[in-house]
Amino acid sequence: MEVNADNFFKAAALDKPRVTNKVGSNVTLINVMQIAGLNTLGISIARIDYAPLGQNPPHTHPRATEILTVLEGTLYVGFVTSNQPAPNRNKFLSKVLNKGDVFVFPAGLIHFQFNPNPHKPAIAIAALSSQNPGAITIANAVFGSDPQISDDVLAKAFQVEKNTIDWLQAQFWENNHN
């Protein structure tokens, strides 16, 4: 295969706003699947649009650290550390970011971003330390898996009644499988 400039280019229009989804966000990821020239380089980038009160829900990148920069608006962000002995087990670290602020989410840790402004959207750019960082949205993975995780398992894990699990699975199953 002959290499040319197009292997390293995408007219991604990352300067254009995106329509947000049910939770009020839209992630436009540019990784090795969109730009072949990223292969083996260990980087990718994403534009994230947040509606007023929108969020990029709790998720993890199993193969990448993320550094997020707010371009417009305000974001409340946070992550939870990995399981550690008491007293610091699952410590929650958070910050309110304004335009121009930067925050780092270590690889593999559950994190989120939320736009607390009820009137204005927010925009951020995220750089990730992998050409294919992966993303696991926690609620979608747990309650919307195919086939579904047993409600007995989830009821015990979350210490709730089975009917609560059934209701949650129904919400995510409908959203993910229609």
Side-chain angles (χ1 to χ4, degrees), residues 15-158:
D15 60 326
K16 305 286 189 254
R18 305 297 204 267
V19 175
T20 57
N21 61 20
K22 183 177 180 178
V23 295
S25 66
N26 185 321
V27 178
T28 305
L29 176 65
I30 306 298
N31 67 9
V32 71
M33 304 305 284
Q34 289 81 35
I35 301 177
L38 287 174
N39 191 33
T40 75
L41 298 183
I43 59 170
S44 55
I45 190 168
R47 175 191 168 119
I48 310 157
D49 291 82
Y50 308 86
L53 301 178
Q55 67 171 300
N56 189 5
H59 64 283
T60 181
H61 303 290
R63 297 179 292 277
T65 292
E66 174 181 341
I67 185 167
L68 182 93
T69 303
V70 177
L71 299 181
E72 294 293 335
T74 300
L75 292 175
Y76 170 58
V77 304
F79 69 88
V80 179
T81 63
S82 58
N83 293 347
Q84 298 177 16
N88 291 323
R89 81 181 117 212
N90 301 115
K91 187 170 183 175
F92 175 57
L93 303 173
S94 66
K95 197 82 173 157
V96 173
L97 306 180
N98 296 300
K99 184 176 180 176
D101 291 345
V102 174
F103 197 82
V104 174
F105 303 103
L109 297 184
I110 296 172
H111 62 281
F112 69 90
Q113 302 100 35
F114 172 72
N115 176 4
N117 191 313
H119 307 290
K120 294 183 181 178
I123 302 167
I125 291 286
L128 299 116
S129 65
S130 172
Q131 72 233 13
N132 186 11
I136 301 168
T137 304
I138 305 308
N140 290 351
V142 172
F143 300 113
S145 67
D146 185 8
Q148 292 180 338
I149 299 170
S150 162
D151 57 2
D152 290 323
V153 170
L154 294 179
K156 185 163 188 143
F158 287 99

